[in-house]
Amino acid sequence: DAKTTQPTSMDCAEGRAANLPCNHSTISGNEYVYWYRQIHSQGPQYIIHGLKNNETNEMASLIITEDRKSSTLILPHATLRDTAVYYCIVSRWRDDKIIFGKGTRLHILP
Amino acid sequence: EAGVTQFPSHSVIEKGQTVTLRCDPISGHDNLYWYRRVMGKEIKFLLHFVKESKQDESGMPNNRFLAERTGGTYSTLKVQPAELEDSGVYFCASSPRTGGTDTQYFGPGTRLTVL
């Protein structure tokens, strides 16, 4: 079973920052937080991952709380193409299979 | 660089028939994974190949499902005989190394409908 809790859905205005929360209160010390998304009719797509420190790449930023029990994925300037289901996943680095939960359905509003 | 490709994109079959799904991973990727999403449910792991060997097949639902990866290149997933509950979208993913959830690249999926 997934070890994370996410809101079922969220709306965000186009051009604004989308902040997607995730709770993972039972995360272990050797587990990473990963984010994937699935745009309609496509396969899942990796976004970002982190262990303790905040991370940023060309797609998004990941903010992990100091106690690591929750995190937030930030899409800095959301576009309509960011409409998707976003999955927060907790996994050890050496785990090979991805355990997807229900995710958050993000709607970007024009 | 070509991504992960899957064939067919859609398949409609009748209960009791056989269907074979194909996945071509990214060239050079030793790891190949199968996942599926059945209607209204979450995406679930099925199995993992390292080259031609099955590393983990803990997610395979039953013995009606047979996955192969001869020669360590493309993989096939055969469902025989198909049942109604097998309907869903089957995803394939590949990665260049074992471990590291970030490096899985997914294909577009095959939508299977069993009537």
Side-chain angles (χ1 to χ4, degrees):
Chain A
D1 291 341
K3 302 177 184 178
T4 62
T5 304
Q6 299 178 251
T8 303
S9 67
M10 294 182 63
D11 293 337
C12 178
E14 187 177 19
R16 305 297 292 270
N19 295 274
L20 291 87
C22 179
N23 286 323
H24 31 80
S25 59
T26 61
I27 192 170
S28 300
N30 62 349
E31 290 181 318
Y32 288 71
V33 180
Y34 294 83
W35 284 83
Y36 270 73
R37 72 179 180 183
Q38 186 184 14
I39 297 170
H40 182 62
S41 297
Q42 297 181 22
Q45 176 190 25
Y46 164 79
I47 301 173
I48 198 168
H49 77 282
L51 182 62
K52 298 180 186 177
N53 301 321
N54 299 337
E55 302 288 343
T56 295
N57 63 19
E58 65 278 6
M59 292 181 67
S61 294
L62 174 60
I63 308 298
I64 303 174
T65 57
E66 192 168 345
D67 63 6
R68 303 209 322 125
K69 293 185 177 182
S70 65
S71 60
T72 302
L73 178 74
I74 302 172
L75 307 178
H77 305 287
T79 71
L80 297 177
R81 288 176 295 180
D82 292 321
T83 293
V85 178
Y86 287 78
Y87 297 95
C88 172
I89 297 156
V90 165
S91 177
R92 296 175 306 167
W93 178 252
R94 296 299 299 178
D95 282 348
D96 293 318
K97 59 188 175 190
I98 299 173
I99 300 176
F100 291 92
K102 293 180 170 56
T104 296
R105 186 171 295 276
L106 177 65
H107 301 275
I108 305 300
L109 307 175
Chain B
E1 177 183 285
V4 176
T5 57
Q6 294 186 243
F7 182 84
S9 56
H10 294 84
S11 180
V12 181
I13 61 173
E14 294 189 350
K15 177 182 172 181
Q17 291 186 321
T18 297
V19 63
T20 300
L21 313 181
R22 172 169 171 146
C23 168
D24 286 80
I26 293 172
S27 178
H29 283 192
D30 287 341
N31 296 276
L32 188 149
Y33 308 82
W34 284 97
Y35 296 82
R36 76 169 179 178
R37 165 185 266 147
V38 296
M39 185 67 71
K41 301 286 188 178
E42 299 155 21
I43 300 172
K44 294 290 189 183
F45 166 81
L46 295 178
L47 89 160
H48 168 208
F49 283 101
V50 177
K51 297 185 180 179
E52 67 275 7
S53 300
K54 292 176 184 175
Q55 180 81 5
D56 180 356
E57 51 183 327
S58 60
M60 294 288 266
N62 52 61
N63 60 9
R64 295 186 294 103
F65 289 74
L66 175 63
E68 295 180 323
R69 193 182 182 197
T70 306
T73 54
Y74 71 91
S75 175
T76 58
L77 181 64
K78 180 189 290 188
V79 185
Q80 180 181 28
E83 299 288 344
L84 298 179
E85 64 264 25
D86 300 331
S87 295
V89 182
Y90 290 76
F91 294 104
C92 174
S94 72
S95 75
R97 58 191 170 92
T98 300
T101 310
D102 58 307
T103 56
Q104 291 192 29
Y105 300 87
F106 282 77
T110 293
R111 181 173 295 278
L112 174 64
T113 302
V114 182
L115 303 176

